[in-house]
Amino acid sequence: MRRISIFGATGSVGANGVDLIRRAGGPAAYHTVALTGGRNIARLARMARDLRAEIAVTAHPELLDELRDALSGSGVEAAAGPQALIDAAQRPADWVLSAIVGAAGLVPGLTALAQGSILALANKESLVCAGPLLRHAAQASGATILPVDSEHSAIFQALGQDNLESVKDVTITASGGAFRDWPLERLAAATVAEASTHPNWAMGQRITIDSASMFNKAMEVIEAKEFFGLRPDQIRVLVHPESIIHAMVSHVDGGTIAHLGAPDMRHAIGYALNWPARAPLPVAPLDLAALGSLTFRAPDEHRWPALRLAREVMAAGGMAGAVFNAAKEQALDDFIAGRIGFTRMAPRVEMTLQALSARAGFGDDPVDLDTVLHWDREARKETAA
Ligand code: NAD
Ligand code: MG
Protein backbone atom coordinates (compact mmCIF):
# COMPACT_ATOMS: atom_id res chain seq x y z
CA MET A 1 0.00 0.00 0.00
CA ARG A 2 1.28 3.48 -0.84
CA ARG A 3 2.48 5.42 2.21
CA ILE A 4 1.56 9.10 2.40
CA SER A 5 2.17 12.02 4.79
CA ILE A 6 0.59 15.46 4.83
CA PHE A 7 2.41 18.39 6.45
CA GLY A 8 -0.05 21.18 7.19
CA ALA A 9 -3.00 18.76 6.94
CA THR A 10 -5.36 21.07 8.81
CA GLY A 11 -4.89 23.98 6.41
CA SER A 12 -6.71 24.75 3.19
CA VAL A 13 -4.43 22.73 0.86
CA GLY A 14 -3.82 20.01 3.44
CA ALA A 15 -7.54 19.47 4.07
CA ASN A 16 -8.11 19.19 0.33
CA GLY A 17 -5.41 16.52 0.29
CA VAL A 18 -7.07 14.67 3.16
CA ASP A 19 -10.39 14.93 1.30
CA LEU A 20 -8.87 13.25 -1.77
CA ILE A 21 -7.38 10.44 0.35
CA ARG A 22 -10.75 9.91 2.07
CA ARG A 23 -12.62 9.81 -1.24
CA ALA A 24 -10.13 7.27 -2.59
CA GLY A 25 -11.06 4.96 0.31
CA GLY A 26 -9.01 6.39 3.20
CA PRO A 27 -7.15 3.69 5.13
CA ALA A 28 -8.32 1.04 2.66
CA ALA A 29 -6.44 2.79 -0.15
CA TYR A 30 -3.47 4.53 1.49
CA HIS A 31 -1.28 3.95 4.52
CA THR A 32 -1.11 7.34 6.23
CA VAL A 33 2.20 7.85 8.00
CA ALA A 34 2.05 11.38 9.43
CA LEU A 35 -0.45 14.22 9.54
CA THR A 36 0.61 17.57 11.01
CA GLY A 37 -1.19 20.73 12.01
CA GLY A 38 -1.11 23.76 14.25
CA ARG A 39 -3.65 24.89 16.84
CA ASN A 40 -6.73 23.16 15.48
CA ILE A 41 -6.24 20.00 17.54
CA ALA A 42 -9.81 18.73 17.11
CA ARG A 43 -9.49 18.83 13.34
CA LEU A 44 -6.05 17.22 13.33
CA ALA A 45 -7.21 14.41 15.64
CA ARG A 46 -10.34 13.77 13.56
CA MET A 47 -8.27 13.51 10.38
CA ALA A 48 -5.71 11.22 12.02
CA ARG A 49 -8.44 8.92 13.37
CA ASP A 50 -10.25 8.81 10.02
CA LEU A 51 -7.12 7.96 8.03
CA ARG A 52 -5.66 5.79 10.85
CA ALA A 53 -2.39 7.69 10.72
CA GLU A 54 0.70 6.36 12.46
CA ILE A 55 1.33 9.74 14.06
CA ALA A 56 -0.24 13.19 14.39
CA VAL A 57 2.00 16.16 15.13
CA THR A 58 1.09 19.66 16.23
CA ALA A 59 3.65 22.41 15.70
CA HIS A 60 2.94 23.71 19.23
CA PRO A 61 4.62 21.88 22.16
CA GLU A 62 2.12 23.28 24.69
CA LEU A 63 -0.73 21.49 22.89
CA LEU A 64 0.75 18.00 23.22
CA ASP A 65 -1.52 16.96 26.12
CA GLU A 66 -4.61 18.19 24.31
CA LEU A 67 -3.60 16.20 21.22
CA ARG A 68 -2.90 13.09 23.32
CA ASP A 69 -6.36 13.36 24.90
CA ALA A 70 -8.02 13.86 21.53
CA LEU A 71 -6.30 10.73 20.20
CA SER A 72 -6.71 8.50 23.24
CA GLY A 73 -7.79 4.99 22.36
CA SER A 74 -7.20 5.55 18.64
CA GLY A 75 -3.76 3.95 18.38
CA VAL A 76 -2.45 7.12 16.70
CA GLU A 77 0.77 8.44 18.28
CA ALA A 78 0.87 12.10 19.30
CA ALA A 79 3.86 14.42 19.13
CA ALA A 80 4.50 18.17 19.20
CA GLY A 81 7.04 20.83 18.33
CA PRO A 82 9.49 21.62 15.53
CA GLN A 83 11.73 18.59 16.18
CA ALA A 84 8.70 16.29 16.15
CA LEU A 85 7.84 17.67 12.70
CA ILE A 86 11.33 16.77 11.48
CA ASP A 87 11.12 13.31 13.07
CA ALA A 88 7.79 12.75 11.32
CA ALA A 89 9.33 13.83 8.00
CA GLN A 90 12.05 11.22 8.52
CA ARG A 91 9.50 8.40 8.63
CA PRO A 92 9.60 6.65 5.27
CA ALA A 93 6.73 7.63 2.99
CA ASP A 94 6.20 7.35 -0.77
CA TRP A 95 4.31 10.62 -1.20
CA VAL A 96 4.52 13.69 1.01
CA LEU A 97 2.32 16.78 0.63
CA SER A 98 4.21 19.88 1.80
CA ALA A 99 1.36 22.23 2.73
CA ILE A 100 2.65 24.15 5.73
CA VAL A 101 2.37 27.89 5.15
CA GLY A 102 5.54 30.00 5.24
CA ALA A 103 9.27 29.33 5.61
CA ALA A 104 8.33 26.94 8.46
CA GLY A 105 7.69 24.39 5.68
CA LEU A 106 11.32 24.44 4.50
CA VAL A 107 13.00 22.06 6.94
CA PRO A 108 10.20 19.43 7.00
CA GLY A 109 10.18 19.52 3.17
CA LEU A 110 13.97 19.12 2.93
CA THR A 111 13.81 16.26 5.43
CA ALA A 112 11.13 14.48 3.42
CA LEU A 113 13.21 14.92 0.26
CA ALA A 114 16.23 13.36 1.96
CA GLN A 115 14.37 10.10 2.42
CA GLY A 116 13.64 9.96 -1.29
CA SER A 117 9.89 10.29 -1.55
CA ILE A 118 7.79 12.25 -3.99
CA LEU A 119 7.40 15.72 -2.52
CA ALA A 120 4.15 17.32 -3.69
CA LEU A 121 5.08 20.93 -3.04
CA ALA A 122 2.42 23.49 -2.19
CA ASN A 123 4.82 25.34 0.10
CA LYS A 124 6.15 27.80 -2.49
CA GLU A 125 8.03 29.67 0.23
CA SER A 126 10.63 26.90 0.42
CA LEU A 127 11.42 27.19 -3.31
CA VAL A 128 11.57 30.99 -3.11
CA CYS A 129 13.95 31.02 -0.15
CA ALA A 130 16.00 27.93 -0.97
CA GLY A 131 15.33 26.60 -4.47
CA PRO A 132 18.86 25.25 -5.06
CA LEU A 133 18.83 23.48 -1.67
CA LEU A 134 15.63 21.64 -2.55
CA ARG A 135 16.95 20.67 -5.96
CA HIS A 136 20.20 19.35 -4.50
CA ALA A 137 18.35 17.39 -1.80
CA ALA A 138 16.14 15.79 -4.44
CA GLN A 139 19.11 14.94 -6.66
CA ALA A 140 21.07 13.44 -3.78
CA SER A 141 18.29 11.06 -2.70
CA GLY A 142 16.60 10.46 -6.05
CA ALA A 143 13.41 12.14 -4.82
CA THR A 144 10.94 13.86 -7.15
CA ILE A 145 9.41 17.29 -6.56
CA LEU A 146 5.99 17.83 -8.13
CA PRO A 147 4.32 21.25 -8.19
CA VAL A 148 1.07 21.73 -6.28
CA ASP A 149 0.59 25.41 -6.98
CA SER A 150 -2.19 25.53 -9.60
CA GLU A 151 -0.16 27.66 -12.02
CA HIS A 152 2.94 25.49 -11.74
CA SER A 153 0.97 22.29 -12.01
CA ALA A 154 -0.55 23.84 -15.15
CA ILE A 155 2.90 24.65 -16.60
CA PHE A 156 4.12 21.15 -15.71
CA GLN A 157 1.13 19.60 -17.48
CA ALA A 158 1.27 21.94 -20.48
CA LEU A 159 4.98 21.21 -20.92
CA GLY A 160 4.35 17.49 -21.08
CA GLN A 161 7.32 15.85 -22.79
CA ASP A 162 8.41 19.08 -24.49
CA ASN A 163 12.01 20.09 -24.18
CA LEU A 164 12.59 23.33 -22.23
CA GLU A 165 14.70 24.53 -25.16
CA SER A 166 11.58 24.75 -27.32
CA VAL A 167 9.89 27.03 -24.76
CA LYS A 168 9.80 30.71 -25.60
CA ASP A 169 8.07 31.80 -22.39
CA VAL A 170 5.43 30.87 -19.86
CA THR A 171 2.48 32.93 -18.70
CA ILE A 172 1.13 32.65 -15.17
CA THR A 173 -2.35 34.03 -14.72
CA ALA A 174 -3.55 36.07 -11.74
CA SER A 175 -7.14 36.79 -10.76
CA GLY A 176 -6.10 40.21 -9.47
CA GLY A 177 -7.38 39.40 -5.97
CA ALA A 178 -9.72 41.38 -3.79
CA PHE A 179 -8.64 44.86 -4.94
CA ARG A 180 -8.30 44.34 -8.68
CA ASP A 181 -10.93 46.96 -9.47
CA TRP A 182 -10.56 49.26 -6.48
CA PRO A 183 -9.56 52.88 -7.13
CA LEU A 184 -5.86 53.14 -6.21
CA GLU A 185 -6.50 55.86 -3.62
CA ARG A 186 -8.69 53.51 -1.58
CA LEU A 187 -5.98 50.85 -1.16
CA ALA A 188 -4.13 52.57 1.70
CA ALA A 189 -7.20 52.21 3.92
CA ALA A 190 -8.01 48.60 2.94
CA THR A 191 -8.79 46.47 5.99
CA VAL A 192 -7.60 42.97 6.82
CA ALA A 193 -11.16 41.68 6.38
CA GLU A 194 -11.41 43.27 2.93
CA ALA A 195 -8.03 41.85 1.88
CA SER A 196 -9.00 38.38 3.15
CA THR A 197 -11.59 37.74 0.45
CA HIS A 198 -10.86 36.22 -2.94
CA PRO A 199 -13.01 36.43 -6.07
CA ASN A 200 -12.47 32.78 -7.14
CA TRP A 201 -10.32 30.66 -4.85
CA ALA A 202 -11.02 29.45 -1.28
CA MET A 203 -7.60 29.50 0.42
CA GLY A 204 -5.87 30.19 3.73
CA GLN A 205 -5.94 33.80 4.94
CA ARG A 206 -2.27 34.54 4.32
CA ILE A 207 -2.21 33.53 0.65
CA THR A 208 -5.55 35.28 0.14
CA ILE A 209 -4.10 38.59 1.34
CA ASP A 210 -0.98 37.88 -0.73
CA SER A 211 -3.29 37.57 -3.72
CA ALA A 212 -4.73 41.03 -3.09
CA SER A 213 -1.21 42.51 -2.90
CA MET A 214 0.12 40.21 -5.68
CA PHE A 215 2.92 39.11 -3.38
CA ASN A 216 1.55 35.64 -4.08
CA LYS A 217 2.08 36.12 -7.82
CA ALA A 218 5.53 37.60 -7.19
CA MET A 219 6.38 34.48 -5.18
CA GLU A 220 5.00 32.32 -7.98
CA VAL A 221 7.18 34.02 -10.60
CA ILE A 222 10.27 33.19 -8.53
CA GLU A 223 8.84 29.70 -7.87
CA ALA A 224 8.54 29.16 -11.65
CA LYS A 225 12.15 30.20 -12.18
CA GLU A 226 13.35 27.83 -9.46
CA PHE A 227 11.09 24.94 -10.37
CA PHE A 228 11.51 24.87 -14.14
CA GLY A 229 14.90 26.54 -14.52
CA LEU A 230 13.44 29.32 -16.68
CA ARG A 231 15.15 32.65 -17.25
CA PRO A 232 13.40 35.57 -15.51
CA ASP A 233 12.56 37.19 -18.86
CA GLN A 234 10.68 34.01 -19.85
CA ILE A 235 8.09 34.37 -17.07
CA ARG A 236 5.08 36.59 -17.69
CA VAL A 237 2.08 37.48 -15.55
CA LEU A 238 -1.36 38.06 -17.05
CA VAL A 239 -4.43 39.25 -15.14
CA HIS A 240 -7.29 36.88 -15.89
CA PRO A 241 -10.26 37.63 -13.60
CA GLU A 242 -12.10 34.33 -14.23
CA SER A 243 -9.20 32.07 -13.05
CA ILE A 244 -10.01 29.41 -15.65
CA ILE A 245 -6.70 29.39 -17.53
CA HIS A 246 -4.04 28.69 -14.90
CA ALA A 247 -0.95 29.00 -17.07
CA MET A 248 0.22 28.88 -20.69
CA VAL A 249 3.42 27.67 -22.30
CA SER A 250 4.45 29.42 -25.52
CA HIS A 251 6.88 27.65 -27.83
CA VAL A 252 9.47 28.98 -30.26
CA ASP A 253 7.28 27.82 -33.16
CA GLY A 254 4.54 30.30 -32.24
CA GLY A 255 2.18 27.78 -30.62
CA THR A 256 0.81 28.21 -27.10
CA ILE A 257 -0.55 25.43 -24.88
CA ALA A 258 -2.86 26.50 -22.06
CA HIS A 259 -4.11 24.54 -19.08
CA LEU A 260 -7.73 25.22 -18.10
CA GLY A 261 -9.93 24.08 -15.25
CA ALA A 262 -12.25 25.15 -12.47
CA PRO A 263 -10.39 26.97 -9.67
CA ASP A 264 -10.21 24.01 -7.29
CA MET A 265 -6.93 22.98 -5.66
CA ARG A 266 -8.00 19.35 -5.68
CA HIS A 267 -7.00 19.25 -9.33
CA ALA A 268 -3.35 20.20 -8.71
CA ILE A 269 -3.13 18.08 -5.53
CA GLY A 270 -4.84 15.10 -7.19
CA TYR A 271 -2.66 15.40 -10.28
CA ALA A 272 0.44 15.16 -8.06
CA LEU A 273 -1.11 12.29 -6.08
CA ASN A 274 -1.86 10.21 -9.17
CA TRP A 275 1.19 11.25 -11.23
CA PRO A 276 2.32 9.97 -13.67
CA ALA A 277 -1.15 8.48 -14.19
CA ARG A 278 -4.42 10.40 -14.20
CA ALA A 279 -7.57 9.44 -12.34
CA PRO A 280 -11.03 11.03 -11.92
CA LEU A 281 -11.07 13.93 -9.43
CA PRO A 282 -14.00 15.69 -7.71
CA VAL A 283 -13.52 18.88 -9.73
CA ALA A 284 -16.40 20.67 -11.50
CA PRO A 285 -16.29 20.12 -15.27
CA LEU A 286 -15.37 23.04 -17.45
CA ASP A 287 -18.38 24.63 -19.18
CA LEU A 288 -16.99 27.31 -21.50
CA ALA A 289 -20.36 27.92 -23.14
CA ALA A 290 -21.83 28.81 -19.75
CA LEU A 291 -18.86 31.09 -19.02
CA GLY A 292 -19.28 32.78 -22.42
CA SER A 293 -16.01 34.67 -22.37
CA LEU A 294 -12.62 34.79 -20.72
CA THR A 295 -10.96 38.16 -20.22
CA PHE A 296 -7.38 39.32 -19.80
CA ARG A 297 -5.44 42.46 -18.95
CA ALA A 298 -1.84 43.44 -18.43
CA PRO A 299 -0.82 43.70 -14.75
CA ASP A 300 -0.48 47.24 -13.42
CA GLU A 301 2.81 47.44 -11.52
CA HIS A 302 1.75 50.68 -9.90
CA ARG A 303 -1.11 48.84 -8.22
CA TRP A 304 1.00 45.74 -7.56
CA PRO A 305 4.64 46.77 -6.88
CA ALA A 306 5.37 43.22 -5.66
CA LEU A 307 5.68 42.14 -9.31
CA ARG A 308 8.56 44.54 -9.88
CA LEU A 309 10.22 43.36 -6.66
CA ALA A 310 10.08 39.76 -7.91
CA ARG A 311 12.15 40.71 -10.95
CA GLU A 312 14.66 42.53 -8.76
CA VAL A 313 14.93 39.49 -6.48
CA MET A 314 15.58 37.19 -9.44
CA ALA A 315 18.23 39.55 -10.82
CA ALA A 316 19.95 39.78 -7.43
CA GLY A 317 20.09 36.00 -6.89
CA GLY A 318 21.69 34.31 -3.87
CA MET A 319 19.93 35.12 -0.60
CA ALA A 320 17.54 37.67 -2.14
CA GLY A 321 14.74 35.09 -2.30
CA ALA A 322 15.12 34.20 1.38
CA VAL A 323 15.18 37.87 2.34
CA PHE A 324 12.19 38.66 0.13
CA ASN A 325 10.09 35.82 1.51
CA ALA A 326 10.88 36.56 5.15
CA ALA A 327 10.34 40.31 4.71
CA LYS A 328 7.02 39.57 3.02
CA GLU A 329 5.97 37.23 5.85
CA GLN A 330 6.87 39.85 8.46
CA ALA A 331 5.12 42.68 6.59
CA LEU A 332 2.05 40.47 6.28
CA ASP A 333 2.15 39.69 10.03
CA ASP A 334 2.32 43.44 10.69
CA PHE A 335 -0.59 44.16 8.36
CA ILE A 336 -2.74 41.41 9.91
CA ALA A 337 -1.91 42.71 13.40
CA GLY A 338 -2.94 46.24 12.39
CA ARG A 339 0.57 47.70 12.79
CA ILE A 340 0.88 48.84 9.16
CA GLY A 341 -1.52 49.63 6.32
CA PHE A 342 -2.02 47.50 3.21
CA THR A 343 0.08 49.69 0.93
CA ARG A 344 3.00 49.80 3.41
CA MET A 345 3.82 46.13 2.89
CA ALA A 346 5.64 46.47 -0.44
CA PRO A 347 7.76 49.51 0.57
CA ARG A 348 8.84 47.71 3.75
CA VAL A 349 9.87 44.63 1.79
CA GLU A 350 11.76 46.81 -0.69
CA MET A 351 13.56 48.66 2.12
CA THR A 352 14.62 45.36 3.65
CA LEU A 353 15.92 44.08 0.32
CA GLN A 354 17.97 47.26 -0.08
CA ALA A 355 19.25 47.36 3.49
CA LEU A 356 20.30 43.72 3.57
CA SER A 357 21.86 43.67 0.14
CA ALA A 358 24.10 46.50 1.29
CA ARG A 359 25.12 44.36 4.28
CA ALA A 360 25.21 40.90 2.73
CA GLY A 361 25.69 41.39 -0.97
CA PHE A 362 23.43 38.93 -2.72
CA GLY A 363 25.38 37.63 -5.70
CA ASP A 364 25.71 33.92 -6.16
CA ASP A 365 26.62 32.85 -2.64
CA PRO A 366 26.46 29.09 -2.22
CA VAL A 367 23.16 28.33 -0.54
CA ASP A 368 23.20 26.29 2.63
CA LEU A 369 20.44 25.92 5.18
CA ASP A 370 22.16 27.89 7.95
CA THR A 371 22.74 30.83 5.61
CA VAL A 372 19.10 30.76 4.48
CA LEU A 373 17.84 30.65 8.08
CA HIS A 374 20.26 33.42 9.08
CA TRP A 375 19.01 35.82 6.39
CA ASP A 376 15.43 34.80 7.09
CA ARG A 377 15.86 35.97 10.71
CA GLU A 378 17.72 39.14 9.71
CA ALA A 379 15.04 40.07 7.18
CA ARG A 380 12.25 39.64 9.74
CA LYS A 381 14.10 41.87 12.25
CA GLU A 382 14.77 44.51 9.60
CA THR A 383 11.14 44.56 8.39
CA ALA A 384 9.30 44.42 11.73
CA ALA A 385 7.15 47.48 12.38
P1 NAD B 1 -3.35 27.51 5.72
O1 NAD B 1 -3.02 28.68 6.56
O2 NAD B 1 -4.76 27.22 5.40
O3 NAD B 1 -2.73 26.19 6.39
C1 NAD B 1 -1.41 26.16 6.80
C2 NAD B 1 -1.06 24.86 7.50
O4 NAD B 1 0.28 25.00 8.02
C3 NAD B 1 -1.94 24.53 8.70
O5 NAD B 1 -2.05 23.13 8.83
C4 NAD B 1 -1.13 25.10 9.88
O6 NAD B 1 -1.43 24.46 11.11
C5 NAD B 1 0.27 24.81 9.44
N1 NAD B 1 1.25 25.72 10.00
C6 NAD B 1 1.17 27.07 10.05
N2 NAD B 1 2.28 27.58 10.64
C7 NAD B 1 3.06 26.52 10.96
C8 NAD B 1 4.36 26.39 11.58
N3 NAD B 1 5.04 27.46 12.02
N4 NAD B 1 4.87 25.15 11.73
C9 NAD B 1 4.19 24.06 11.32
N5 NAD B 1 2.97 24.12 10.74
C10 NAD B 1 2.42 25.34 10.55
O7 NAD B 1 -2.47 27.66 4.39
P2 NAD B 1 -2.85 27.19 2.90
O8 NAD B 1 -3.63 28.26 2.25
O9 NAD B 1 -3.32 25.80 2.92
O10 NAD B 1 -1.41 27.25 2.23
C11 NAD B 1 -0.43 26.25 2.49
C12 NAD B 1 0.72 26.41 1.49
O11 NAD B 1 0.22 26.10 0.20
C13 NAD B 1 1.30 27.81 1.40
O12 NAD B 1 2.67 27.72 1.12
C14 NAD B 1 0.57 28.42 0.22
O13 NAD B 1 1.32 29.43 -0.41
C15 NAD B 1 0.44 27.21 -0.68
N6 NAD B 1 -0.68 27.27 -1.61
C16 NAD B 1 -1.95 27.35 -1.15
C17 NAD B 1 -3.02 27.36 -2.03
C18 NAD B 1 -4.44 27.36 -1.52
O14 NAD B 1 -5.35 27.15 -2.30
N7 NAD B 1 -4.68 27.57 -0.25
C19 NAD B 1 -2.78 27.33 -3.41
C20 NAD B 1 -1.47 27.25 -3.86
C21 NAD B 1 -0.42 27.22 -2.95
MG1 MG C 1 -1.06 29.69 -7.25
Side-chain angles (χ1 to χ4, degrees):
M1 196 182 274
R2 211 160 169 229
R3 298 163 301 177
I4 64 118
S5 287
I6 301 182
F7 286 77
T10 53
S12 168
V13 169
N16 275 316
V18 170
D19 178 58
L20 290 177
I21 301 293
R22 272 197 192 115
R23 286 167 186 264
Y30 290 94
H31 175 85
T32 299
V33 177
L35 296 180
T36 85
R39 299 197 178 280
N40 194 338
I41 298 297
R43 189 175 210 195
L44 177 61
R46 194 164 56 243
M47 289 170 159
R49 280 176 182 272
D50 277 5
L51 300 189
R52 293 190 212 132
E54 286 176 19
I55 187 167
V57 185
T58 164
H60 305 286
E62 70 279 13
L63 298 180
L64 180 57
D65 286 343
E66 192 183 333
L67 182 60
R68 277 209 185 102
D69 288 348
L71 289 170
S72 74
S74 66
V76 180
E77 288 172 59
Q83 185 58 43
L85 284 173
I86 297 172
D87 295 343
Q90 276 168 346
R91 294 194 179 206
D94 304 302
W95 188 85
V96 176
L97 178 58
S98 169
I100 289 175
V101 66
L106 173 60
V107 174
L110 278 172
T111 309
L113 278 176
Q115 50 96 11
S117 52
I118 291 179
L119 188 70
L121 188 68
N123 180 260
K124 65 192 83 183
E125 296 88 344
S126 47
L127 266 181
V128 171
C129 63
L133 262 185
L134 263 76
R135 279 198 303 280
H136 293 159
Q139 269 160 15
S141 68
T144 302
I145 308 176
L146 294 175
V148 173
D149 215 342
S150 56
E151 297 78 1
H152 304 72
S153 176
I155 296 169
F156 189 84
Q157 295 180 55
L159 272 174
Q161 300 301 315
D162 281 321
N163 192 323
L164 212 54
E165 275 154 35
S166 77
V167 173
K168 182 171 150 287
D169 53 43
V170 304
T171 300
I172 294 174
T173 60
S175 69
F179 305 142
R180 180 185 62 220
D181 300 316
W182 277 37
L184 282 180
E185 58 278 12
R186 264 186 77 195
L187 287 183
T191 66
V192 173
E194 286 165 336
S196 302
T197 62
H198 196 283
N200 307 323
W201 293 91
M203 307 187 287
Q205 184 191 32
R206 298 182 72 86
I207 186 175
T208 302
I209 299 174
D210 283 349
S211 297
S213 63
M214 286 267 191
F215 267 113
N216 181 49
K217 212 48 58 178
M219 298 276 290
E220 289 182 355
V221 166
I222 303 167
E223 181 186 10
K225 169 183 173 281
E226 295 297 335
F227 195 96
F228 297 103
L230 294 159
R231 295 189 315 273
D233 63 284
Q234 287 179 297
I235 309 165
R236 295 161 181 274
V237 174
L238 181 67
V239 176
H240 168 41
E242 296 84 8
S243 299
I244 295 295
I245 297 179
H246 304 307
M248 297 182 266
V249 176
S250 295
H251 289 280
V252 288
D253 59 8
T256 293
I257 300 178
H259 182 270
L260 289 74
D264 185 332
M265 281 306 290
R266 290 177 302 183
H267 174 76
I269 302 165
Y271 177 80
L273 180 63
N274 297 318
W275 180 88
R278 288 187 186 264
L281 292 169
V283 174
L286 192 60
D287 186 347
L288 289 177
L291 278 163
S293 62
L294 299 178
T295 61
F296 307 95
R297 33 182 134 147
D300 170 1
E301 294 201 357
H302 194 54
R303 180 180 295 272
W304 294 302
L307 296 176
R308 171 176 55 78
L309 296 181
R311 284 199 308 275
E312 291 172 9
V313 167
M314 290 188 293
M319 285 300 112
V323 168
F324 178 69
N325 177 67
K328 190 279 294 178
E329 288 193 32
Q330 181 64 50
L332 179 59
D333 286 343
D334 290 340
F335 172 63
I336 291 173
R339 290 187 286 268
I340 62 173
F342 182 78
T343 50
R344 295 309 300 157
M345 288 191 284
R348 293 196 89 94
V349 171
E350 184 163 18
M351 281 187 309
T352 296
L353 280 166
Q354 282 165 0
L356 295 199
S357 69
R359 269 165 50 196
F362 286 128
D364 284 320
D365 288 350
V367 182
D368 65 58
L369 183 59
D370 287 342
T371 311
V372 170
L373 297 178
H374 170 76
W375 288 109
D376 177 284
R377 284 190 300 273
E378 291 297 307
R380 284 172 207 263
K381 268 192 266 168
E382 184 73 30
T383 311

